[in-house]
Amino acid sequence: MVYTMIFYFSGTGNSAWVARQLARLTDDAAYDITGLNELPKMDHVKLIGFVFPIYAWGVPEIMAKFATKLPKLPAFTFGICTCGEDAGLAMKQFSKLYPLHSSYSLQMPNNYVIGSDTDAADVIRQKLTAARKELAQIAQEIQRQEQVYRVHQGTLAGLKSHLVNFGFNKFARSAKPFFAGETCNGCGWCVKNCPASAISLRDGKPTWAAQCYQCMRCINQCPQQAIQYGKSTAGRRRYAIRAYLPQEEQ
């Protein structure tokens, strides 16, 4: 019988890894919300957790919508957001959708290749080592049902989580600049794995809808590294967490 359920959304794997690590540490179950056709039975659930990345100091649309549909139960609730640096007021905003007893932010390797180059390999390993240590502490606090708010909000948190995040969702989620270069072999991996279902194949090449979640999965994890976003991503590293994990964590 499962007493804790951890629901997660992940783009390039950071949040998926966090959710699964936490599930291992607490002997619980983690569920990818993009793979849930219906909610699991929650009759005996004592703890409910949410893990998701921060997008422009806000909650990803897909996780926000999921939270509003989830029944409110008399359980201990917690949320963990993964971010490159700071989370703004995202966790407080999420708690308005689904009230949380505890909230955490966890710094993870940068995957936003559109904005800047991804982290170097040594930096990625350092961040993962620190995250493992932090997760061990979080797991203990959750099991004790401690009410904790350990979120690095950063400077100008209100401005970022309201004005900047609004601009991101309104204007910066355009998928039109995505394109596949000459190394694309039409394998369809991006089509099958896009959580927004925003990619389709046309004449053997992927094409993108007007908007997507900007999760960076397609551009970072393309097997051929064929996908670009305008002119900004050419020559930049790609990031996939699996390349840095031991077998037992994959």
Side-chain angles (χ1 to χ4, degrees):
M1 188 176 295
V2 178
Y3 291 99
T4 301
M5 287 186 173
I6 303 168
F7 298 104
Y8 72 88
F9 167 68
S10 189
T12 57
N14 283 342
S15 293
W17 176 78
V18 169
R20 292 167 185 164
Q21 283 294 102
L22 192 61
R24 291 189 185 102
L25 290 168
T26 56
D27 196 25
D28 294 312
Y31 299 87
D32 181 353
I33 64 172
T34 64
L36 288 178
N37 294 320
E38 59 183 28
L39 291 176
K41 292 184 179 180
M42 302 175 68
D43 300 343
H44 303 286
V45 172
K46 303 294 184 183
L47 295 92
I48 299 173
F50 304 89
V51 181
F52 53 87
I54 293 296
Y55 290 167
W57 300 281
V59 182
E61 176 189 358
I62 185 173
M63 180 55 84
K65 288 184 176 180
F66 175 81
T68 59
K69 296 177 182 178
L70 198 68
K72 308 295 191 296
L73 301 174
F76 181 85
T77 58
F78 63 91
I80 303 174
C81 66
T82 59
C83 53
E85 194 166 348
D86 51 67
L89 301 181
M91 297 309 289
K92 291 182 177 179
Q93 291 176 335
F94 182 84
S95 197
K96 293 178 181 178
L97 303 174
Y98 203 100
L100 300 176
H101 292 98
S102 290
S103 298
Y104 303 89
S105 66
L106 193 63
Q107 187 182 42
M108 292 291 288
N110 172 40
N111 72 351
Y112 196 60
V113 65
I114 289 176
S116 63
D117 207 345
T118 60
D119 294 330
D122 59 333
V123 175
I124 292 172
R125 294 189 180 95
Q126 289 171 11
K127 288 183 176 180
L128 291 177
T129 297
R132 288 186 185 95
K133 183 178 179 181
E134 178 70 11
L135 276 172
Q137 180 179 350
I138 291 173
Q140 292 176 2
E141 292 170 347
I142 289 171
Q143 288 178 314
R144 293 193 295 263
Q145 297 190 23
E146 296 182 14
Q147 296 195 22
V148 177
Y149 185 83
R150 193 158 63 246
V151 178
H152 186 251
Q153 294 184 172
T155 58
L156 302 174
L159 177 66
K160 292 175 179 176
S161 293
H162 291 99
L163 185 60
V164 177
N165 183 257
F166 173 82
F168 169 78
N169 284 308
K170 186 75 173 178
F171 305 109
R173 281 174 49 184
S174 172
K176 291 181 180 180
F178 281 113
F179 70 94
E182 295 180 357
T183 57
C184 174
N185 62 3
C187 71
W189 186 97
C190 54
V191 177
K192 298 171 188 174
N193 289 279
C194 175
S197 299
I199 310 174
S200 58
L201 281 183
R202 185 179 301 167
D203 298 326
K205 292 283 187 177
T207 60
W208 280 258
Q211 275 200 329
C212 66
Y213 296 140
Q214 293 278 317
C215 74
M216 301 294 110
R217 183 182 296 180
C218 65
I219 191 169
N220 274 300
Q221 298 188 359
C222 170
Q224 304 300 318
Q225 294 192 7
I227 297 173
Q228 304 291 347
Y229 191 85
K231 298 179 180 179
S232 63
T233 56
R236 289 179 178 170
R237 294 182 292 263
R238 301 300 193 254
Y239 170 72
I241 192 172
R242 288 177 62 89
Y244 299 91
L245 298 178
Q247 188 64 38
E248 63 270 18
E249 292 184 6
Q250 297 189 15

